[in-house]
Amino acid sequence: MKVFRAAMILLSLASQAAAHEASQGSWSGGPSAGFPVRAWSSSFRSSNHVNWWTDDSELTLGYSPECIGIQARGEGASQLLAFDVDSDGDVDITALELRGNITWFENLGAGRSFVIHSLRTFDAFGPDMVVEVDMDSDGDLDMAACSRASESLGIYWLENTGSDPWPVHAVYDSGGGCGWVDAGDIDADGDPDLVAAFPSEGALVWMDNPGAAEDEWAEHRIEVDLTAPWCVRAVDLEGNGSMEILVSDFDTHRILLLRPEGSGWRKELLGECPGPSCLTQSDLNGDGIIDVLACSSWEDRLYRFSRTGGEWLRTEVAKGIVAPEHVGAADLDGDGDPDIFASSRVGNEVSWWENLGTRSFALHRVGMQQGCSWVCAANMDSDDRLELATASMADGSLCWWNLFDHAYSGRLDSEILYLGGDPAMGMVEWTARKPPGTSVEVQVRISPDRLRMGEWHTLSSSPAEIDRLFFPGCAYLQYRILLGTDNRRVSPFFEEIRLGYSDSPFL
């Protein structure tokens, strides 16, 4: 800084004119409309693979997630689950073919190689959805399943016995029609029950776990006037140990919370969400109150329903993905607050939104996967950080995404600065940290026409004189920052840039 100040004094004395300064050390304002400015603030013109929002005092390389393939099934994969199937301490993958077989992929420890196991083969119509749950309270995770098209079992569970195939136990055997199932201790008796939605019948039921695999489950109809119940979740929004039921009614676009009341249920309207294909719950702002997230496949939005006093308020929390079908929440970046992620089968993509802690979320494009039907968060490589695992309905491919690999290179272009007068002498100085294997480059361009800024000139070091770039009539200046790395786990840090110039008539 002292070198820069001294240079500014020399510029002023040499030109016998006033010296001017401009600087920028924050880019948190995001991309601007593109009009020239008289001073840099916290905005910029454009960027590519540069992270400007996480820390408002520096720039780093953005993330460019890596896709690690698990398996291409060749059949549509309608769902996948990520949990420790074999209780060996790492996360395995269980994949569900559309109304077909269930396969689990044994993780050999680092998420890079898997052993394939056939968990269950179905002769006719297999399940449409599965959920992990310790159904028999023996310490390992089983799976509950439901089927729309089965001619016999609508709801059943598969027992994790430690060997393949897993035995199937009937829960609801009056035919199919069940589109969604979830697990929770509805009657607070210490074992998990099941709640299920039957869209074509407009029916919602919960099934009472008898506590023994060979005993019969008791069916309880939930009479709350639903047209087409779609996604259903067993939740404890109050944190008091009493289970409620969240449900989306697809035809009426309503999101409802059902509270147990006496021998029945009281219906509470959270709000509307056109095309409500999936629900989840999370405390997004850390206020101790659980929020509800819903994805609108019709409006390309993710909505949050939060309680303020005794009322529910709907706010848009995320957009930028076409027709989202599945949504979840987890602390992906390890900063202590939950982020949001979603997948789109129509848009062939998966994205996540970083929770910035100010009721705002920053979109990260994860990648493209044809017919991406499901996404969940899991620590696939045992590195103490969550990744996203996805499944494809189109080609049956399964993969997980290493979210926090930096891009090899990134670029940020500043707003165009109006210099005024006729600058004759100038200097640019910047501060940056460059870990081994990383690089930082600064370029500038100067022009009399803001619409034709011309070619970029690389500045060799900091501080750098730019006298040679000035010419009569030049009135606009723009800088470009180029970040690079040889190691995708490491990024350079750009902290501040300063410009000093003096104007005087050219002779």
Side-chain angles (χ1 to χ4, degrees):
M1 180 63 77
K2 291 182 179 179
V3 173
F4 184 77
R5 293 296 184 196
M8 286 300 299
I9 294 173
L10 291 175
L11 285 174
S12 179
L13 292 174
S15 63
Q16 298 299 308
H20 305 279
E21 292 186 46
S23 65
Q24 187 163 8
S26 172
W27 296 263
S28 60
S32 69
F35 297 105
V37 297
R38 291 184 177 271
W40 289 315
S41 56
S42 62
S43 296
F44 55 89
R45 185 70 175 272
S46 63
S47 69
N48 183 41
H49 290 310
V50 169
N51 182 344
W52 48 267
W53 56 86
T54 299
D55 189 326
D56 62 5
S57 63
E58 63 185 14
L59 300 173
T60 59
L61 281 167
Y63 300 122
S64 181
E66 175 191 9
C67 177
I68 294 92
I70 298 172
Q71 177 73 21
R73 299 294 299 151
E75 300 288 342
S78 59
Q79 189 191 358
L80 87 168
L81 299 176
F83 65 96
D84 189 1
V85 174
D86 50 4
S87 302
D88 65 350
D90 55 36
V91 176
D92 309 298
I93 291 292
T94 301
L96 174 63
E97 294 178 10
L98 178 61
R99 292 178 183 165
N101 304 323
I102 304 176
T103 305
W104 77 276
F105 300 83
E106 180 185 356
N107 188 349
L108 296 186
R112 300 281 173 165
S113 56
F114 297 82
V115 176
I116 302 175
H117 300 260
S118 178
L119 189 151
R120 190 74 202 186
T121 300
F122 292 87
D123 296 330
F125 294 111
D128 287 274
M129 184 181 176
V130 290
V131 61
E132 70 267 33
V133 55
D134 185 4
M135 192 63 71
D136 49 6
S137 303
D138 64 352
D140 54 31
L141 289 173
D142 313 294
M143 287 193 294
C146 70
S147 175
R148 294 192 190 198
S150 172
E151 296 178 355
S152 55
L153 293 179
I155 309 171
Y156 41 100
W157 69 278
L158 299 98
E159 183 181 357
N160 185 350
T161 59
S163 60
D164 307 320
W166 292 13
V168 175
H169 302 281
V171 173
Y172 184 88
D173 59 2
S174 59
C178 183
W180 202 289
V181 66
D182 198 21
D185 188 2
I186 303 296
D187 53 3
D189 65 351
D191 54 29
D193 308 301
L194 296 176
V195 57
F198 293 77
S200 60
E201 301 175 24
L204 196 65
V205 303
W206 75 271
M207 307 296 299
D208 186 4
N209 189 341
E214 64 276 6
D215 291 345
E216 185 176 345
W217 290 61
E219 174 192 349
H220 301 270
R221 289 267 168 168
I222 302 175
E223 304 293 346
V224 287
D225 187 26
L226 297 171
T227 303
W230 199 260
C231 177
V232 60
R233 301 285 193 187
V235 299
D236 179 11
L237 293 186
E238 305 290 346
N240 58 8
S242 175
M243 301 298 293
E244 297 96 21
I245 296 174
L246 273 174
V247 61
S248 63
D249 197 349
F250 199 88
D251 285 357
T252 64
H253 316 310
R254 296 177 301 166
I255 309 298
L256 302 167
L257 179 65
L258 310 180
R259 299 180 182 273
E261 190 173 70
S263 59
W265 296 82
R266 175 168 56 88
K267 182 170 59 177
E268 189 173 316
L269 177 65
L270 275 63
E272 292 190 353
C273 175
S277 54
C278 184
L279 303 173
T280 193
Q281 68 277 353
S282 180
D283 181 6
L284 292 178
N285 59 357
D287 62 357
I289 301 174
I290 303 298
D291 308 303
V292 175
L293 279 169
C295 54
S296 171
S297 58
W298 291 11
E299 293 187 339
D300 303 339
R301 296 288 191 274
L302 301 179
Y303 290 113
R304 169 193 175 195
F305 297 88
S306 56
R307 281 173 297 181
T308 303
E311 301 293 326
W312 287 92
L313 175 67
R314 187 191 81 166
T315 55
E316 176 190 304
V317 292
K319 60 182 179 180
I321 187 171
V322 177
E325 290 189 27
H326 189 246
V327 63
D331 184 8
L332 298 178
D333 53 5
D335 64 353
D337 54 30
D339 308 296
I340 303 171
F341 53 89
S343 63
S344 169
R345 181 168 47 175
V346 174
N348 305 314
E349 62 180 312
V350 58
S351 295
W352 73 281
W353 291 262
E354 181 182 355
N355 190 340
L356 302 182
T358 56
R359 296 184 181 270
S360 58
F361 295 80
L363 170 63
H364 296 266
R365 302 281 187 190
V366 176
M368 305 296 289
Q369 184 180 23
Q370 190 72 23
C372 187
S373 54
W374 203 269
V375 58
C376 62
N379 183 8
M380 295 301 304
D381 54 2
S382 303
D383 64 350
D384 297 324
R385 174 169 273 179
L386 294 175
E387 291 83 35
L388 293 179
T390 58
S392 165
M393 182 72 85
D395 58 14
S397 61
L398 309 171
C399 67
W400 64 271
W401 301 81
N402 196 341
L403 301 176
F404 296 99
D405 279 351
H406 292 289
Y408 283 111
S409 61
R411 167 194 56 77
L412 182 139
D413 293 348
S414 75
E415 291 181 296
I416 296 174
L417 180 69
Y418 175 66
L419 300 174
D422 256 332
M425 305 178 70
M427 181 172 290
V428 175
E429 183 180 23
W430 61 92
T431 55
R433 292 178 285 127
K434 297 183 290 184
T438 68
S439 63
V440 173
E441 184 177 311
V442 175
Q443 299 177 338
V444 297
R445 58 181 180 179
I446 302 172
S447 173
D449 186 348
R450 67 180 179 86
L451 300 178
R452 299 178 180 85
M453 288 299 295
E455 63 179 308
W456 292 98
H457 300 272
T458 299
L459 306 182
S460 57
S461 61
S462 175
E465 294 183 358
I466 56 173
D467 303 1
R468 61 186 176 83
L469 302 180
F470 290 131
F471 56 89
C474 61
Y476 301 98
L477 179 143
Q478 186 179 26
Y479 70 79
R480 167 175 284 180
I481 299 169
L482 299 173
L483 305 179
T485 186
D486 295 332
N487 180 355
R488 297 184 68 192
R489 298 275 176 160
V490 181
S491 171
F493 303 85
F494 192 93
E495 297 167 338
E496 186 180 12
I497 187 168
R498 296 176 292 275
L499 164 69
Y501 65 96
S502 64
D503 48 69
S504 67
F506 281 82
L507 301 178

